[in-house]
Amino acid sequence: MKKRLKITVKLTLISLVFLVGLVLLLYGLLSKDYIDIRYVENNKVNYKVYLKDNNYFETEYLGENRTYIASLIDYIDIDYNYVITYDKLVSGNYRYYIKATILANKPEGEGYYWRKDFQLTEPKKVNIKDLQSYAVVENIKVDYDKYNQILNSFKKEYSMQTDGELIISLVVESTTTGKEYTDEIKVDSDLSLSIPLLEQTVDASIQKDAISKDKTLSMIDNSRKIFYYICSLIGVVIIVIALIEFINTIVYNIMRSKKNLYRTKLNKILHNHDSIIANVNTLPDLDELNVIDVQTFEELIDVYNEVRMPINYYQDNRRYISTFMIINDGIAWVYKFNKEDIEDDNKESNSKVR
């Protein structure tokens, strides 16, 4: 009972060790650290509509969100203000330029018949190092008549009904990295102003598109990769040791069960036939005898009943082999009983059950 309890406790401890190894292995394989970086854009577009000389307006320009007479528009003065701020220092570069886009839109539905881009400023590239913020401030004066005439020529040449649109955009493209955040941070922004073309009046439909972004990026931090690898390795070693101990314990328990069953059957033979069994310290020399191996102890009892000679018994404690023999008239009847016989008997019993 104590041995059984001891084995149960040992198996429980092995299971706990196995679980510890499994936790370490999963922790090492699944754990990841992340480095975050956040950036915020603050974008603004402001404009003024400057007028041609006329007898009706006393000011040289009109402010935003007004109704404008297309024939009186001289040019549109646009101010772009782009600011981006990171929560960590970054290095890299940014590039920016201003472009104009004419669209000959379909009168109904989405899409356009024709589109053309005009680059209003040469691209400028700026390198930055260890900054958290930078700004792009640009001003552009757009000749409204010029683009109105271009689209009007297209309309007349192809005799089609079309709605026109002029989009003036500040394009900012940046590629940076941080000291800890080493992945590339690409930010592409487009601050634009949309102005109708081919209209008698340009009403409040002048649209500003200067969406400010607030975004957080994440990357895997590999600085603790070796630590997680070591955790996984230790977990594997612990699991292997636990499995080996588990197998050894199970095998030991099976062998012990066989040994106990072997002892039980042997003691039963010795007890039931004590009067006809003689213990010997050494095995007799069988070289000059005719040796007959018998399969069961009962067969050896049958021989005893015929010849009435004692059954010699020799015990090999090291290999758990018990040898029983009867010697008479140059013949030796030998029966050997060992632990393997227990296993064979169990296999035979199981096959019969099936």
Side-chain angles (χ1 to χ4, degrees):
M1 189 68 179
K2 288 183 178 180
K3 289 184 177 180
R4 183 178 299 177
L5 178 61
K6 185 177 179 181
I7 291 174
T8 302
V9 171
K10 186 175 181 181
L11 289 176
T12 301
L13 291 175
I14 291 173
S15 300
L16 291 175
V17 171
F18 177 84
L19 287 175
V20 170
L22 185 61
V23 169
L24 280 173
L25 175 61
L26 294 177
Y27 175 73
L29 292 177
L30 302 180
S31 295
K32 289 181 176 64
D33 293 327
Y34 292 90
I35 298 174
D36 297 334
I37 192 167
R38 176 173 175 257
Y39 68 84
V40 178
E41 290 179 312
N42 187 10
N43 302 329
K44 292 180 181 179
V45 178
N46 299 108
Y47 67 92
K48 297 174 184 176
V49 178
Y50 279 81
L51 305 175
K52 298 175 182 176
D53 290 336
N54 64 87
N55 297 321
Y56 303 100
F57 291 91
E58 296 179 356
T59 58
E60 62 176 342
Y61 67 86
L62 298 177
E64 299 181 14
N65 301 321
R66 296 283 299 273
T67 299
Y68 313 102
I69 300 173
S71 60
L72 292 181
I73 297 176
D74 185 11
Y75 64 90
I76 301 171
D77 190 302
I78 307 172
D79 289 313
Y80 294 99
N81 195 319
Y82 171 85
V83 179
I84 185 169
T85 303
Y86 299 85
D87 65 349
K88 295 180 176 69
L89 295 174
V90 296
S91 298
N93 61 76
Y94 64 91
R95 174 176 174 266
Y96 65 93
Y97 59 91
I98 298 175
K99 68 175 183 177
T101 303
I102 293 179
L103 293 174
N105 294 326
K106 294 180 179 180
E108 297 179 359
E110 297 180 355
Y112 54 85
Y113 295 116
W114 175 67
R115 168 183 178 147
K116 186 172 183 180
D117 292 328
F118 303 86
Q119 192 157 304
L120 304 184
T121 63
E122 289 297 321
K124 297 178 183 178
K125 186 175 181 181
V126 180
N127 295 321
I128 60 173
K129 184 174 178 60
D130 295 338
L131 295 179
Q132 278 192 262
S133 179
Y134 60 86
V136 176
V137 179
E138 286 289 303
N139 173 267
I140 191 78
K141 293 175 175 58
V142 179
D143 185 346
Y144 178 77
D145 265 348
K146 172 184 173 182
Y147 300 103
N148 216 9
Q149 290 171 10
I150 292 173
L151 187 58
N152 200 35
S153 297
F154 172 82
K155 179 181 178 181
K156 288 180 180 179
E157 183 173 347
Y158 294 100
S159 302
M160 61 173 58
Q161 292 295 322
T162 180
D163 295 329
E165 184 180 6
L166 174 64
I167 301 173
I168 311 298
S169 304
L170 169 67
V171 178
V172 183
E173 303 165 338
S174 67
T175 303
T176 57
T177 58
K179 287 186 176 181
E180 296 177 353
Y181 191 97
T182 54
D183 285 357
E184 279 193 348
I185 308 165
K186 291 194 173 187
V187 182
D188 296 333
S189 298
D190 192 328
L191 288 69
S192 63
L193 190 74
S194 176
I195 309 161
L197 295 175
L198 303 181
E199 299 286 346
Q200 291 300 316
T201 60
V202 181
D203 58 20
S205 62
I206 291 184
Q207 301 289 329
K208 294 192 294 186
D209 185 2
I211 298 173
S212 297
K213 299 177 185 175
D214 184 341
K215 193 171 182 180
T216 300
L217 305 176
S218 296
M219 64 167 280
I220 296 176
D221 181 8
N222 290 320
S223 62
R224 286 164 56 88
K225 188 175 181 180
I226 295 178
F227 171 74
Y228 293 130
Y229 174 77
I230 292 173
C231 287
S232 300
L233 185 61
I234 293 174
V236 169
V237 172
I238 291 175
I239 288 173
V240 170
I241 292 173
L243 288 175
I244 291 173
E245 285 299 315
F246 177 79
I247 293 171
N248 288 339
T249 303
I250 295 299
V251 170
Y252 168 78
N253 196 36
I254 293 173
M255 296 301 293
R256 180 172 166 272
S257 298
K258 287 182 181 180
K259 177 182 175 182
N260 290 342
L261 188 57
Y262 164 78
R263 287 291 186 189
T264 300
K265 290 193 174 185
L266 177 61
N267 291 336
K268 184 177 180 181
I269 291 173
L270 296 176
H271 180 267
N272 292 340
H273 305 282
D274 181 60
S275 60
I276 61 174
I277 293 176
N279 294 333
V280 295
N281 293 326
T282 57
L283 279 172
D285 187 3
L286 304 179
D287 292 340
E288 303 298 327
L289 301 175
N290 182 18
V291 178
I292 300 174
D293 293 320
V294 297
Q295 299 299 314
T296 65
F297 188 79
E298 285 70 21
E299 292 180 16
L300 198 62
I301 293 297
D302 292 339
V303 174
Y304 168 78
N305 291 331
E306 290 291 332
V307 301
R308 291 294 172 177
M309 294 295 292
I311 300 174
N312 296 305
Y313 161 61
Y314 173 76
Q315 174 65 54
D316 186 346
N317 289 315
R318 187 165 57 89
R319 293 187 297 166
Y320 300 105
I321 298 176
S322 299
T323 303
F324 298 89
M325 67 180 67
I326 296 176
I327 300 174
N328 185 53
D329 291 336
I331 301 175
W333 290 269
V334 179
Y335 168 65
K336 290 185 178 181
F337 176 63
N338 53 46
K339 287 194 297 183
E340 282 66 26
D341 294 331
I342 304 298
E343 184 176 2
D344 293 340
D345 289 345
N346 288 337
K347 288 181 181 179
E348 185 177 351
S349 298
N350 292 334
S351 62
K352 287 180 180 180
V353 170
R354 290 176 187 156

